[in-house]
Structure formats: structure tokens, C-alpha cells
Amino acid sequence: MPRKIRELLHELERAGFVNRGGKGSHRNFKHPMGVRITLSGQLSEDAKPYQERAVKKALEEVKHETE
């Protein structure tokens, strides 16, 4: 069962990403280390597989830079 967009957003915020705004349903997040990611969709929608992969990759990049 896919996760919801809101779950991905909470995961990014817990990792230190800041919502920089966006147009429409798009949200642009930036981490202080320079990693950027854009997510689209309403909070209650199911996340698409590519969105889950993108969030996982962004979180791994931040994790590797802090180690």
C-alpha cells in the first residue's frame, strides 16, 4: 500500500528540509546542505513510486553528508 503525500512531507521535515513554497500542488523543499526536492499532489493522495524513490534518495544524500 503506497504512503500518502503527507507522510513523505513529514519525513522530509523531520530530516531538516524546509518547505520553500511552490505553485499549485507543488512543494519545493531544500535542506541546509543544499539538497533539493519537489513533491506534487494533495496531502491525502497516494504517493507515486517515483515520488517515494525521490524522497528516499534525498534522505540518503543528507544522511551521507552528515556522516
Side-chain angles (χ1 to χ4, degrees):
M1 182 171 176
R3 295 186 291 170
K4 300 290 183 185
I5 297 291
R6 91 171 55 83
E7 294 174 39
L8 299 180
L9 297 179
H10 288 302
E11 208 171 319
L12 289 171
E13 289 170 350
R14 280 194 303 264
F17 283 82
V18 178
N19 187 350
R20 306 278 294 153
K23 251 185 162 175
S25 66
H26 288 73
R27 294 165 197 85
N28 299 302
F29 285 86
K30 183 178 178 186
H31 194 273
M33 297 180 140
V35 179
R36 295 173 184 243
I37 183 170
T38 299
L39 284 179
S40 63
Q42 300 300 319
L43 295 177
S44 60
E45 290 180 3
D46 289 341
K48 308 239 182 319
Y50 73 88
Q51 292 173 314
E52 293 200 40
R53 283 192 303 270
V55 168
K56 182 179 177 182
K57 180 182 175 196
L59 293 173
E60 287 175 357
E61 286 180 35
V62 170
K63 180 181 172 189
H64 284 99
E65 290 182 20
T66 59
E67 291 178 345

